[in-house]
Amino acid sequence: QVQLVESGGRLVQTGGSLRLSCAASARTFSSYVAAWFRQAPGKEREFVAVIDESGGNTNYADSVKGRFTISRDNAKNTVYLEMNSLKPEDTAVYYCAAGRFGYGAGNYNYWGQGTQVTVSS
C-alpha cells in the first residue's frame, strides 16, 4: 500500500512558476512508475507527465511539454512537478499517482488527495 500526499499548489500569476511535491509513504515507491494528472472544473482528469521507476525516462502531455518537468528523488520517496510559464488553462487540481506505465488513469493504483493550482490572468 502506498499513500501519496501532494503539496505546493497555490494561486500564481500568468507566467509564474510553481513546484509541486508528492511524498510517498512506502519504501517500495521506487518500484512504481509515478505520474501527475490534473482535473479542471467540469472536465475529465487528464494526463500531465510520467516518470519511470529510476527517473531515467519521462513523458509529457503536449499541452505542457517544454514548460513542465517531472522528476523524482527515490531516496526521499518524493516526486516533483516543476511548472514554468504557467497559463490560466493550467488551473486545475493536480494529482500524483503511482502504478504501472501508461497515460490513462486506470494504470495507476494509488492516488493522492490533490493540490489546487490556480493561475490568474
Side-chain angles (χ1 to χ4, degrees), residues 18-21 36 48-49 60 68-71 79-83 94:
L18 279 179
R19 187 175 83 155
L20 305 183
S21 299
W36 288 94
V48 174
Y60 299 90
F68 290 12
T69 302
I70 188 171
S71 61
V79 176
Y80 304 97
L81 185 68
E82 188 78 35
M83 304 187 294
Y94 283 71

Side-chain angles (χ1 to χ4, degrees), residues 63-76:
S63 59
V64 306
K65 202 169 291 184
R67 300 188 298 123
F68 290 12
T69 302
I70 188 171
S71 61
R72 68 191 297 165
D73 184 340
N74 285 337
K76 296 182 178 179

Side-chain angles (χ1 to χ4, degrees), residues 1 4 10 15 21 30 43 45 63 65 76 84 95-96 99 109 111:
Q1 193 77 4
L4 304 172
R10 61 176 176 87
S21 299
S30 60
K43 295 188 177 181
R45 191 170 298 190
S63 59
K65 202 169 291 184
K76 296 182 178 179
N84 298 311
Y95 296 92
C96 175
N109 304 93
W111 292 84

Side-chain angles (χ1 to χ4, degrees), residues 14-86:
T14 296
S17 298
L18 279 179
R19 187 175 83 155
L20 305 183
S21 299
C22 172
S25 61
R27 296 176 187 175
T28 57
F29 181 63
S30 60
S31 64
Y32 293 93
V33 171
W36 288 94
F37 286 76
R38 65 186 182 186
Q39 188 166 18
K43 295 188 177 181
E44 293 187 354
R45 191 170 298 190
E46 65 173 1
F47 165 79
V48 174
V50 62
I51 189 166
D52 71 359
E53 295 88 333
S54 68
N57 290 294
T58 59
N59 213 333
Y60 299 90
D62 288 343
S63 59
V64 306
K65 202 169 291 184
R67 300 188 298 123
F68 290 12
T69 302
I70 188 171
S71 61
R72 68 191 297 165
D73 184 340
N74 285 337
K76 296 182 178 179
N77 288 339
T78 303
V79 176
Y80 304 97
L81 185 68
E82 188 78 35
M83 304 187 294
N84 298 311
S85 302
L86 283 162

